[in-house]
Amino acid sequence: MQLTNPALAALTNHPHRSRLFCSIWRPRTLLAATLNVGAPTRGLEAIPYSGGTETGYADIQPGHILWVGTQDGKNDIGRLLIKDKSGNQAAGTITVAANSLVWRPTYKITVKEKRELVTRPAKTVDGVLYKDSNLAYNGQNSLDWPVCIIGPHRVGFLDNAGSITFNFDASLSYPEITEFQWVTSGGTLTNPTGATTSLIITESDLNSTNKGQFYIGCTVTNESGTHTGYRSVFVHIDDVGSEYYPYRRWSLNSFPQANYEQGSWLTRLYVHGTADYDTFEDVAQIILWHAPKYGSSGHAPIGVPGAENQFFSGYTLRGTVVTDWEKSTVIFEAGSITEVMKRVRAMPFSLVAEPVAQTWYQYTHPMNINKATKHAVKWGSNLLDLCDVFLPVNNTTPFKTHDFQEGSLYQQTQGLLDRISGRIAANIAGQVWMQTKGQYLPDAQRAALPVAATLNKSYQREEVVLVDRGAKSTGAVRVSGATAEVGTGEQLGKIIEVPYCSIAPGEIPFPAGGDMTSLDNMIVSSQAEADRLSGLVLAVENRPIIEVRYKFAGNWVGAIDIAPEEIWRLSLAAADNRRGIQWTNQRLYVRSIDTDINIEAGSILLDVVFEPEVAGDTGVPFDCEKEMPQTPMPEGPGRGQTDDDDDPEEGGSGGDRALLSFSDMGSGMYMLKKGQTSWLTRNGALAGNQIENKGGIVDPYWNDNDVDESIILKTNVGNIYRSESGGESWSQLNTPTLPNYWGDVGSPTGLTFTHIIANPFHRNDFYVLAEWRTNTLWRGALLTTSSGGSGWAWHEIDGDTPSHFKPIRLALSGRGGKLWITGWRDGQLILYRLAQATFNIENTYNLGVCPTINDLDSQLYLACPESLPGNDDHIYIAGRMVNPVGLVGTFALIKSVNQGTSWSSIINNWKVNIAAACRIKTQANGVPRFYIVRRTAG
Amino acid sequence: MAQLEYGLSLVSNRMTFLPRMYPAIPCPEGALEEWSVVYNNGDGSTVGDGYPKEIWKFEFLTQEQVNKLRSFVGLAFGAVSRQVYLRTKDPFGIFYTFRAIMHWPADAATKRDRQGIYRDLEITFTQLELVA
């Protein structure tokens, strides 16, 4: 938001003081009833009910949520999107979205006056695909559907005259809206068919039924159809004794913080008062807001129009109930709607551009990122109904096809946006932007981004910190992408892809940059755009100043946000820093915001991390079929020692191999070449004690004739290194930002890469386990590369988001294409089986109880799968396991020879703890050899 | 005379001065902090933010006086704080009326001696907003 001079004057007028409030949507119950069907079928969609109570049947609307529970008012069985209704308060039928619930006649149903984010399930009947449960394809993918934009949710106090007016503006709705129709659940609307309206609420509109909560909706129409958006309106009375005063018994367990890469605002609330399921129901809408004053003269709040008084707008994500005899609290994590998007599952589907779409899977050419994204969220969810969504309308480059992978709604849409270097991000008021990162926009579009303000010292608290990169970290960037066009000649009548590839800085990478970045499957309109993008990405990844950490003086909340992308400017005098860095109006992008809030003191302070904008030279065209060049490594002292290494075998796992490397406990890394007896130290630039001692060294089975050109990865705490010179020289690799599948608030600490394995059949594939802690919680995930460490991707392991998850070991079951991972999860040892091709979890196995992580350490519960390469069905697990996978007893080594379908024990009742992993290798005749290190008492 | 102006109320326009309560409450030693948060600005100046905070320190209160203070503002057994209006002086010695949240000291019991006399009892008021 561009800050006006009066706003900037207010923001520098101290003291800043704020009264802080919390509003929670407490939905009215519209209907409570019992199922009225004797033998309901699984997946019932038309739900007959009887014995209905409450008084809100008339207000039930499509888009409300039906709770299904074993008792009145519960939703322990399910929450379903309502699509239709018939009948009356006492009896009738509610039609819901497609589902797989096993319905029972005793179930209770409840309808709440509430809208929450859900996905719209698709269904196939007799080979015909229906979107949103029952929508047959009827030309939808040739139309440009309207999107309703009416601003954020609202909250406020009645004024002294007992009234409050909320102004709404739908004029940003798109595209080409011709009609507007406003509705509300209470109060008075002015001009209900205009692009703008005002909702006036007076004290007489507040009653025990609506609890001071209202809905406003707007239906917009264009030539393609209609769309209705709804927003919540909270109205309060500024009297602590009033029943309409905001919720009082709360405090902040973790201050609101925003992260651009995560696309959301997150916070954590203590609730000290009533926190039952009526007051804080699941996915409850929460707005944190304030009544700020800037100096003695005061000023209207500064921020998102209509939501200037808000400093958080989102939903509860999950609660942690703390109960003891003395005190009881509930801690709720709350996040923007983008966090809710991460928690709703979306079904996979594909879109292919065709001259004229005939099915849901086709899209009429030209399909672009805006249309495809709109398709995903409109037909796959109700996101557009619940908040403003600004789609990437400026990018009109056609493309041919996209596969929306199974995952969360967030992953699906982000997966598409990755193809334009875009991000989904919500602002402080819960509006969602899907746009290309500002850094990667074409120059003209970058220049057109709004400038929020130019920072000066009077805005600044304490010092400014610039994080310096030092040497370049990226040697080269390759972009491969395409656009789509109507074919000619033999391709006439078809939509064809026109590929463009580019590399920067050229085919000879920067020698100092150890990493290679590859952007594949991008949507680019021309060779010039591919060249521009490769050069820009290279410049961004090698930018000399990685980030600027800036602390704002006072309450700047609302004035600065992670979305939409906007520019802040900063000038630095060389004399003000010891590096002599001189900036004049350096353009900056907001990448994270941390707040520091003291409710009692009424103070809000902001710490912001900016990313400096950079310019880059364009890359050069590159043959799309060509392998990416590798960074040339300097000659090392060990090169030439491989002359006598004459292992004749090619890559693969059969037969004995030279042991290339292993890690001693903190003392280093060594190599023993085949046919030799002397160990060679291979620590490269690392000290021995820098090397992780938890199995972090790769023993690449695939190593072939030229040992010194094999890729070896190794880790120390928090870092991964690569050697392509037999360990003589090492370069540190860039790994992506840690994932946050759990919606954690707080910074991860103690990142450790605990285990690396290589794929013996794919030379450049490596799999790495990572663990860390956020606050007191163990976290972990799988990190993979298919480019020898040049590019990495995170994968979620613990799909059901436990409180604690700590991965332990991993293995690849040869040609079977299965990854096996053991881990400790909330008091259990768990084995996961993942498909190696997709990294999706296929099955989980319980390996026994392990009450705390201390038990894992002190009792040496070490579960270690190491498979038989080439013998693809086998999986062996060593460690002390109590009643694992259905076996009864205490076991030390178990196996499955059919990919986990059945299990048997090899060693049981072994009383001695195992102190290290088992290792299983095959002999030439296929007989497995087991190597197990154990520790005796003492 | 100004000492007489220390007062409390639950409404803004009906202040009861402490010495005129029954039993009479002695005037406290007041200390008003104008800001709750103080930090250095980027230009080298010092900035104060947040609401003012006031601490009333009573050198000597009887049990009856303590009971009166609590009951006057409606702090029932177990209650720790509530919104009140207070009249107290600013750093320049001028009395004003503020709306604030009154916090009963958590360590009050430790301030009471065997005779039931409270010594050096400190009552904190936060989020002071000037009313008049």
Side-chain angles (χ1 to χ4, degrees):
Chain A
M1 98 181 256
Q2 290 172 282
L3 294 170
T4 61
N5 285 336
L8 288 169
L11 289 165
T12 50
N13 189 5
H14 294 271
H16 294 176
R17 294 163 177 163
S18 289
R19 294 171 64 205
L20 306 168
F21 310 101
C22 174
S23 294
I24 308 148
W25 187 267
R26 290 176 294 164
R28 170 167 70 120
T29 300
L30 302 176
L31 171 69
T34 303
L35 218 61
N36 184 25
V37 54
T41 56
R42 184 192 295 259
L44 189 66
E45 293 178 29
I47 318 296
Y49 66 90
S50 61
T53 60
E54 306 293 341
T55 58
Y57 174 82
D59 296 328
I60 296 174
Q61 297 172 4
H64 285 150
I65 302 297
L66 181 81
W67 289 9
V68 185
T70 52
Q71 298 174 40
D72 288 331
K74 299 289 186 189
N75 60 48
D76 51 329
I77 301 300
R79 302 155 75 93
L80 298 169
L81 183 70
I82 292 175
K83 296 181 66 66
D84 203 356
K85 68 172 180 179
S86 63
N88 54 41
Q89 193 74 49
T93 300
I94 302 284
T95 303
V96 297
N99 64 87
S100 296
L101 288 191
V102 180
W103 294 86
R104 304 199 193 291
T106 53
Y107 283 170
K108 309 293 185 184
I109 62 169
T110 307
V111 181
K112 293 282 187 175
E113 189 175 37
K114 182 190 176 212
R115 295 170 194 277
E116 67 182 49
L117 181 65
V118 290
T119 47
R120 300 182 192 272
K123 191 168 67 175
T124 302
V125 179
D126 297 331
V128 178
L129 177 67
Y130 295 88
K131 288 265 184 177
D132 194 14
S133 303
N134 57 2
L135 280 180
Y137 183 76
N138 187 24
Q140 289 91 337
N141 289 351
S142 297
L143 301 174
D144 202 358
W145 294 89
V147 177
C148 180
I149 301 288
I150 51 176
H153 306 287
R154 308 298 171 90
V155 62
F157 283 125
L158 293 177
D159 60 20
N160 290 335
S163 172
I164 186 169
T165 298
F166 298 100
N167 297 316
F168 287 88
D169 185 350
S171 59
L172 291 177
S173 302
Y174 58 92
E176 298 176 7
I177 304 300
T178 54
E179 294 177 29
F180 302 87
Q181 179 65 58
W182 298 85
V183 293
T184 179
S185 63
T188 305
L189 280 173
T190 63
N191 191 24
T193 57
T196 61
T197 190
S198 295
L199 173 63
I200 303 164
I201 306 283
T202 63
E203 192 164 354
S204 62
D205 294 319
L206 276 53
N207 55 53
S208 59
T209 301
N210 61 37
K211 300 172 186 167
Q213 303 169 152
F214 303 89
Y215 265 120
I216 186 168
C218 182
T219 300
V220 296
T221 304
N222 71 4
E223 64 177 10
S224 296
T226 64
H227 175 239
T228 305
Y230 296 92
R231 301 293 182 271
S232 305
V233 177
F234 301 77
V235 178
H236 298 286
I237 294 177
D238 192 5
D239 173 0
V240 290
S242 169
E243 64 177 304
Y244 301 110
Y245 193 79
Y247 187 81
R248 292 177 56 202
R249 304 292 304 278
W250 68 286
S251 60
L252 287 168
N253 173 255
S254 174
F255 303 131
Q257 58 182 206
N259 185 297
Y260 178 73
E261 291 298 327
Q262 294 180 9
S264 54
W265 283 81
L266 281 164
T267 188
R268 206 185 293 243
L269 304 173
Y270 271 129
V271 173
H272 309 287
T274 303
D276 56 29
Y277 288 94
D278 279 337
T279 310
F280 279 86
E281 53 119 32
D282 295 338
V283 203
Q285 186 181 9
I286 289 187
I287 295 180
L288 303 180
W289 53 292
H290 63 150
K293 286 183 178 174
Y294 309 97
S296 55
S297 58
H299 186 277
I302 296 162
V304 177
E308 294 91 341
N309 59 352
Q310 299 175 25
F311 64 92
F312 176 83
S313 178
Y315 301 83
T316 57
L317 302 174
R318 62 178 171 183
T320 303
V321 181
V322 179
T323 171
D324 66 27
W325 64 272
E326 189 177 25
K327 59 187 178 185
S328 176
T329 58
V330 180
I331 300 170
F332 285 106
E333 289 175 26
S336 307
I337 195 163
T338 42
E339 287 296 317
V340 186
M341 287 176 71
K342 295 175 184 175
R343 288 160 173 78
V344 295
R345 201 139 201 93
M347 301 174 79
F349 67 99
S350 300
L351 283 179
V352 179
E354 296 289 349
V356 179
Q358 306 289 342
T359 72
W360 279 116
Y361 290 118
Q362 298 173 346
Y363 206 101
T364 299
H365 177 78
M367 173 172 69
N368 59 37
I369 193 89
N370 166 44
K371 293 175 181 177
T373 313
K374 190 193 296 183
H375 176 102
V377 295
K378 178 178 179 63
W379 304 112
S381 77
N382 59 349
L383 177 70
L384 298 176
D385 306 352
L386 306 180
C387 63
D388 291 344
V389 179
F390 296 92
L391 296 169
V393 293
N394 289 333
N395 190 319
T396 57
T397 303
F399 64 97
K400 166 90 173 170
T401 182
H402 185 78
D403 292 328
F404 292 86
Q405 304 288 339
E406 183 170 10
S408 68
L409 182 63
Y410 181 91
Q411 288 171 321
Q412 271 199 346
T413 43
Q414 183 58 56
L416 178 55
L417 290 168
D418 283 342
R419 299 182 63 185
I420 58 165
S421 298
R423 296 298 307 173
I424 311 171
N427 69 3
I428 200 167
Q431 297 169 296
V432 174
W433 267 264
M434 301 182 184
Q435 55 183 168
T436 300
K437 293 179 186 176
Q439 287 273 37
Y440 300 136
L441 286 171
D443 289 347
Q445 291 183 32
R446 285 212 293 190
L449 286 173
V451 176
T454 300
L455 299 167
N456 70 45
K457 290 180 179 176
S458 66
Y459 305 165
Q460 172 190 331
R461 174 168 47 93
E462 300 165 357
E463 72 282 347
V464 179
V465 174
L466 279 62
V467 179
D468 189 341
R469 176 175 301 280
K472 285 182 169 63
S473 60
T474 300
V477 172
R478 187 183 67 172
V479 168
S480 63
T483 184
E485 63 183 31
V486 179
T488 57
E490 292 182 358
Q491 303 291 329
L492 188 64
K494 295 180 180 176
I495 305 302
I496 60 168
E497 281 194 318
V498 183
Y500 301 105
C501 293
S502 175
I503 191 163
E507 298 216 17
I508 301 173
F510 290 140
D515 203 3
M516 302 287 188
T517 297
S518 185
L519 276 66
D520 300 321
N521 203 24
M522 303 300 285
I523 299 169
V524 291
S525 61
S526 63
Q527 184 63 51
E529 187 182 345
D531 293 342
R532 179 192 66 78
L533 187 59
S534 66
L536 201 47
V537 172
L538 182 67
V540 170
E541 294 194 354
N542 285 331
R543 62 188 183 277
I545 302 298
I546 300 172
E547 62 186 36
V548 178
R549 298 172 185 169
Y550 192 96
K551 298 177 178 181
F552 279 87
N555 179 8
W556 284 64
V557 71
I560 185 164
D561 211 328
I562 56 170
E565 286 277 64
E566 63 182 9
I567 298 294
W568 289 73
R569 291 191 304 211
L570 175 66
S571 295
L572 289 176
D576 280 355
N577 64 86
R578 295 184 186 279
R579 294 284 261 179
I581 299 168
Q582 186 171 357
W583 280 348
T584 303
N585 285 335
Q586 168 66 46
R587 290 157 62 91
L588 307 170
Y589 295 95
V590 180
R591 287 298 169 255
S592 70
I593 302 170
D594 283 282
T595 61
D596 183 350
I597 295 176
N598 185 328
I599 297 175
E600 184 180 276
S603 72
I604 301 178
L605 298 171
L606 265 63
D607 294 356
V608 177
V609 173
F610 293 101
E611 178 181 307
E613 185 175 270
V614 294
D617 294 324
T618 58
V620 297
F622 186 67
D623 183 351
C624 292
E625 302 297 320
K626 202 169 173 181
E627 285 283 318
M628 192 165 181
Q630 300 297 313
T631 304
M633 287 295 178
E635 289 290 316
R639 292 185 73 84
Q641 292 182 7
T642 60
D643 290 346
D644 55 353
D645 187 338
D646 56 356
D647 185 345
E649 297 187 59
E650 296 299 319
S653 61
D656 285 331
R657 294 283 164 185
L659 181 61
L660 283 178
S661 57
F662 71 95
S663 67
D664 192 359
M665 296 287 278
S667 66
M669 174 174 172
Y670 305 88
M671 173 195 288
L672 180 64
K673 292 185 177 181
K674 186 177 180 182
Q676 296 188 357
T677 57
S678 299
W679 289 92
L680 304 172
T681 303
R682 282 293 184 270
N683 288 331
L686 297 178
N689 59 10
Q690 288 179 289
I691 297 176
E692 176 58 39
N693 59 19
K694 294 181 179 177
I697 305 299
V698 169
D699 171 11
Y701 314 113
W702 42 257
N703 181 62
D704 53 23
N705 296 339
D706 194 347
V707 172
D708 290 353
E709 292 185 1
S710 302
I711 294 175
I712 312 173
L713 299 188
K714 64 180 180 179
T715 67
N716 70 358
V717 176
N719 294 307
I720 300 178
Y721 294 82
R722 174 171 64 189
S723 174
E724 296 168 90
S725 57
E728 293 299 341
S729 62
W730 295 87
S731 57
Q732 185 178 334
L733 302 180
N734 283 343
T735 52
T737 306
L738 288 182
N740 186 357
Y741 305 119
W742 307 269
D744 287 334
V745 177
S747 301
T749 58
L751 169 64
T752 307
F753 296 107
T754 58
H755 194 190
I756 294 182
I757 62 170
N759 185 327
F761 307 103
H762 297 279
R763 183 185 178 89
N764 291 319
D765 289 7
F766 294 84
Y767 313 104
V768 184
L769 281 185
E771 69 177 38
W772 64 91
R773 302 188 80 170
T774 303
N775 301 322
T776 59
L777 301 176
W778 282 102
R779 298 297 186 219
L782 174 66
L783 184 63
T784 66
T785 177
S786 57
S787 55
S790 296
W792 295 90
W794 287 106
H795 306 279
E796 188 175 359
I797 303 170
D798 52 325
D800 53 351
T801 61
S803 297
H804 286 281
F805 173 70
K806 184 179 189 298
I808 302 174
R809 303 281 290 180
L810 79 162
L812 177 70
S813 64
R815 294 185 175 86
K818 306 298 179 191
L819 265 177
W820 301 82
I821 297 175
T822 52
W824 177 80
R825 185 181 75 178
D826 288 348
Q828 296 285 337
L829 290 175
I830 305 288
L831 172 69
Y832 302 86
R833 191 186 77 194
L834 290 75
Q836 182 255 323
T838 63
F839 305 107
N840 289 334
I841 294 178
E842 294 181 332
N843 212 342
T844 60
Y845 307 85
N846 194 330
L847 298 181
V849 174
C850 178
T852 72
I853 196 66
N854 291 329
D855 297 321
L856 180 71
D857 289 335
S858 63
Q859 298 180 34
L860 298 172
Y861 278 71
L862 184 62
C864 168
E866 289 280 2
S867 65
L868 275 73
N871 210 341
D872 52 356
D873 285 332
H874 290 211
I875 180 71
Y876 294 73
I877 306 171
R880 188 170 185 274
M881 295 165 278
V882 179
N883 299 336
V885 287
L887 302 174
V888 178
T890 301
F891 298 88
L893 186 62
I894 63 174
K895 74 170 181 179
S896 171
V897 297
N898 49 21
Q899 296 192 344
T901 304
S902 62
W903 296 85
S904 59
S905 70
I906 299 174
I907 303 172
N908 58 5
N909 296 321
W910 194 8
K911 304 299 184 187
V912 181
N913 292 334
I914 296 175
C918 71
R919 189 89 172 104
I920 303 169
K921 302 283 284 186
T922 47
Q923 299 290 311
N925 61 5
V927 176
R929 290 288 179 89
F930 304 93
Y931 303 95
I932 301 175
V933 180
R934 72 173 189 174
R935 186 180 72 178
T936 55
Chain B
M1 187 64 189
Q3 293 292 309
L4 285 176
E5 292 202 44
Y6 281 102
L8 274 176
S9 176
L10 292 178
V11 292
S12 61
N13 58 356
R14 209 166 53 232
M15 190 60 59
T16 300
F17 299 111
L18 299 186
R20 293 185 179 160
M21 291 181 179
Y22 183 81
I25 309 291
C27 286
E29 182 184 330
L32 189 140
E33 298 172 13
E34 294 179 69
W35 314 278
S36 306
V37 180
V38 177
Y39 52 85
N40 290 326
N41 214 348
D43 59 10
S45 61
T46 303
V47 174
D49 274 344
Y51 285 103
K53 176 180 172 182
E54 169 79 355
I55 297 176
W56 279 359
K57 184 172 181 179
F58 294 94
E59 194 174 340
F60 183 97
L61 287 176
T62 66
Q63 184 68 59
E64 291 72 24
Q65 288 169 323
V66 166
N67 293 348
K68 179 64 183 180
L69 270 175
R70 288 185 63 100
S71 63
F72 185 79
V73 296
L75 273 179
F77 179 78
V80 179
S81 70
R82 75 162 300 166
Q83 183 180 297
V84 299
Y85 292 85
L86 79 154
R87 190 156 178 86
T88 194
K89 63 183 176 183
D90 73 2
F92 304 104
I94 301 170
F95 278 84
Y96 293 99
T97 299
F98 298 91
R99 183 168 73 171
I101 296 174
M102 174 179 174
H103 302 266
W104 191 257
D107 63 351
T110 66
K111 304 284 186 177
R112 187 177 59 188
D113 65 16
R114 291 181 179 176
Q115 287 73 43
I117 303 300
Y118 289 79
R119 298 183 189 278
D120 297 329
L121 192 71
E122 292 184 353
I123 298 176
T124 304
F125 300 87
T126 61
Q127 294 192 11
L128 268 65
E129 287 188 275
L130 186 64
V131 175

